[in-house]
Amino acid sequence: MKAVEVNNLRKSYPKKIPLPFRKVEWVEAVKGISFEVKRGELFGLLGPNGAGKTTTIKMLTTLLEPSGGSAKILGLDLIRDAREIRKRINLVAEGERTLYWRLSAYENLKYFARIYYVPKSEMEKRIEELLKLVGLWERRNDLVMSYSRGMKQRLAIAKALINDPEVLFLDEPTLGLDVQSALFVRDFVKRLVKEEGKTVLLTTHYMVEAEELCDRIAIIDHGRIIALDTPEGLKKLVKDEETVEIAVREFNPALLEKSPWKLAVVQSTEERTVLRGSVDEEDLPKLVEWLVKNQVKVVSVERKEPTLEDVFIKLTGRGLRD
Ligand SMILES: Nc1ncnc2c1ncn2[C@@H]1O[C@H](COP(=O)(O)OP(=O)(O)OP(=O)(O)O)[C@@H](O)[C@H]1O
Ligand SMILES: [Mg+2]
């Protein structure tokens, strides 16, 4: 049995049109996606802002009703068996507002333990274990309001483990965290899968995170999965071509729409802009010529090892950060 099976799942949101026009328009946030996550797998949904990642996670955790398609979690039907599914999964949602800031860490976990009917005899032991695991035991009696962003996220993860879920969903688990906290969270998630045998489905728009953590990655864009493979498999999509980074000055991004090559802006300051894409050896002089002809000042041209971002640029003609 698979941990997660998604079959042509869709979601449309009504778009509110101001009165007096009562017409309802629909935004198709998820446009029929299908994928499977094996048990014990660390699976990532990678995509830019608005790709449909949170919408997908909300549907798979029974918080949002799909507009179409179907899904099974641990062999259970997403709609029919929602109650049973909720007992066996958990979610670390996007943002900070999933904890009670006026309660201490300990009180938060006690509250959520009760919601999940964790037996009284086990509750104290489990809370202690979890708080120690995320390194918050010493701070257990402090109000969450006094916690740093990184501490809040560690507590949110402990909270999501309170019912010992078989499948854990994480929506952008390191968004807005400092480097050290992000490292902690990544390492922790890896250990959950490797040592505890949990299944994890996470979303991210950090390529490095997806590449480092995930066994397999689905790249999602505009509500569709445009590629799905292991990080190595995905990178093979650009291996033949050569990845190149071109630093330029006096660059107008509108020019890219006319470019015969799939290039994306990966860095932009007042001083200079860095373009990136896959360009054949023979094509490179032509590209530089084309830029010069369009009044762009080329500062440097550098060969790079392909990353997942290059896969995304090649598939969509855009950068993940656009
Ligand atoms: N409640 C809502 N009502 C209407 N439209 C929505 C709603 N929630 C999301 N959308 C739209 O659905 C699309 C997908 O949004 P979603 O939040 O799933 O993307 P995401 O991949 O999680 O993006 P991000 O990286 O910014 O978190 C977007 O176009 C968004 O504007
Ligand atoms: Mg999101």
Side-chain angles (χ1 to χ4, degrees):
M1 193 217 330
K2 297 283 191 307
V4 179
E5 291 174 72
V6 181
N7 197 349
N8 200 21
L9 202 64
R10 305 170 176 277
K11 181 70 195 179
S12 301
Y13 293 109
K15 201 160 95 183
K16 292 208 175 66
I17 314 255
L19 289 168
F21 308 104
R22 284 188 182 273
K23 187 173 85 181
V24 179
E25 275 181 30
W26 296 86
V27 186
E28 235 191 327
V30 174
K31 298 173 183 159
I33 56 170
S34 303
F35 62 93
E36 291 181 349
V37 181
K38 290 173 239 166
R39 282 195 159 221
E41 191 171 32
L42 211 171
F43 189 93
L45 285 176
L46 172 71
N49 287 143
K53 304 182 296 294
T54 299
T55 303
T56 301
I57 286 252
K58 279 189 181 163
M59 288 194 281
L60 295 180
T61 51
T62 76
L63 298 176
L64 193 64
E65 199 176 323
S67 311
S70 63
K72 280 185 177 169
I73 311 289
L74 298 163
L76 299 161
D77 182 81
L78 192 61
I79 309 288
R80 209 182 47 225
D81 308 318
R83 277 171 73 92
E84 180 62 20
I85 288 174
R86 276 180 218 140
K87 290 183 201 157
R88 296 172 60 183
I89 65 166
N90 215 325
L91 158 74
V92 178
E94 211 174 13
E96 303 179 26
R97 288 282 167 183
T98 57
L99 299 158
Y100 291 96
W101 287 23
R102 288 170 188 281
L103 297 181
S104 68
Y106 198 92
E107 287 164 338
N108 263 283
L109 293 193
K110 210 163 147 185
Y111 173 78
F112 288 107
R114 287 206 176 125
I115 286 187
Y116 281 102
Y117 300 110
V118 176
K120 255 210 163 112
S121 53
E122 277 176 40
M123 190 166 77
E124 280 179 18
K125 196 170 131 258
R126 191 173 305 176
I127 293 178
E128 182 175 340
E129 235 172 55
L130 286 173
L131 285 173
K132 283 181 174 164
L133 264 179
V134 297
L136 289 174
W137 179 243
E138 306 299 322
R139 300 285 303 265
R140 64 186 177 281
N141 294 321
D142 296 352
L143 298 189
V144 171
M145 141 162 76
S146 69
Y147 277 19
S148 69
R149 172 83 182 91
M151 290 166 72
K152 284 186 196 117
Q153 185 66 343
R154 281 188 274 155
L155 183 58
I157 293 173
K159 172 200 149 188
L161 293 171
I162 197 80
N163 61 329
D164 199 18
E166 291 161 70
V167 187
L168 183 64
F169 294 85
L170 299 150
D171 196 4
E172 306 264 5
T174 62
L175 186 68
L177 297 188
D178 58 280
V179 176
Q180 202 192 345
S181 299
L183 279 177
F184 177 90
V185 169
R186 283 185 197 139
D187 188 56
F188 191 81
V189 170
K190 252 193 255 179
R191 282 175 43 212
L192 275 179
V193 175
K194 290 231 169 68
E195 293 168 23
E196 308 285 326
K198 302 259 185 236
T199 305
V200 168
L201 194 164
L202 62 83
T203 75
T204 182
H205 63 267
Y206 299 124
M207 295 150 293
V208 181
E209 180 161 289
E211 186 164 348
E212 192 202 308
L213 280 183
C214 299
D215 298 317
R216 287 188 309 141
I217 299 166
I219 300 184
I220 176 166
D221 187 37
H222 295 310
R224 288 204 171 87
I225 291 177
I226 54 172
L228 195 165
D229 207 338
T230 59
E232 297 71 40
L234 286 172
K235 280 195 284 180
K236 280 203 191 110
L237 292 172
V238 285
K239 262 274 152 61
D240 313 319
E241 279 136 303
E242 305 237 46
T243 300
V244 66
E245 252 186 34
I246 306 168
V248 295
R249 269 206 290 267
E250 291 166 34
F251 182 73
N252 177 1
L255 184 63
L256 283 185
E257 281 160 34
K258 287 185 254 160
S259 162
W261 298 272
K262 280 186 178 165
L263 292 170
V265 174
V266 291
Q267 202 188 315
S268 176
T269 61
E270 230 167 79
E271 271 262 285
R272 54 181 224 159
T273 302
V274 179
L275 306 172
R276 190 167 171 127
S278 302
V279 183
D280 286 337
E281 192 103 281
E282 313 87 72
D283 260 12
L284 195 52
K286 283 188 227 159
L287 167 59
V288 174
E289 207 176 292
W290 179 79
L291 286 168
V292 172
K293 212 169 66 194
N294 284 285
Q295 279 81 48
V296 178
K297 290 221 161 68
V298 178
V299 181
S300 67
V301 178
E302 243 184 292
R303 286 284 174 210
K304 294 277 178 185
E305 271 293 300
T307 66
L308 283 182
E309 177 154 38
D310 299 307
V311 178
F312 190 83
I313 294 170
K314 181 168 177 188
L315 292 173
T316 67
R318 287 178 291 117
L320 259 182
R321 278 163 280 189
D322 287 4

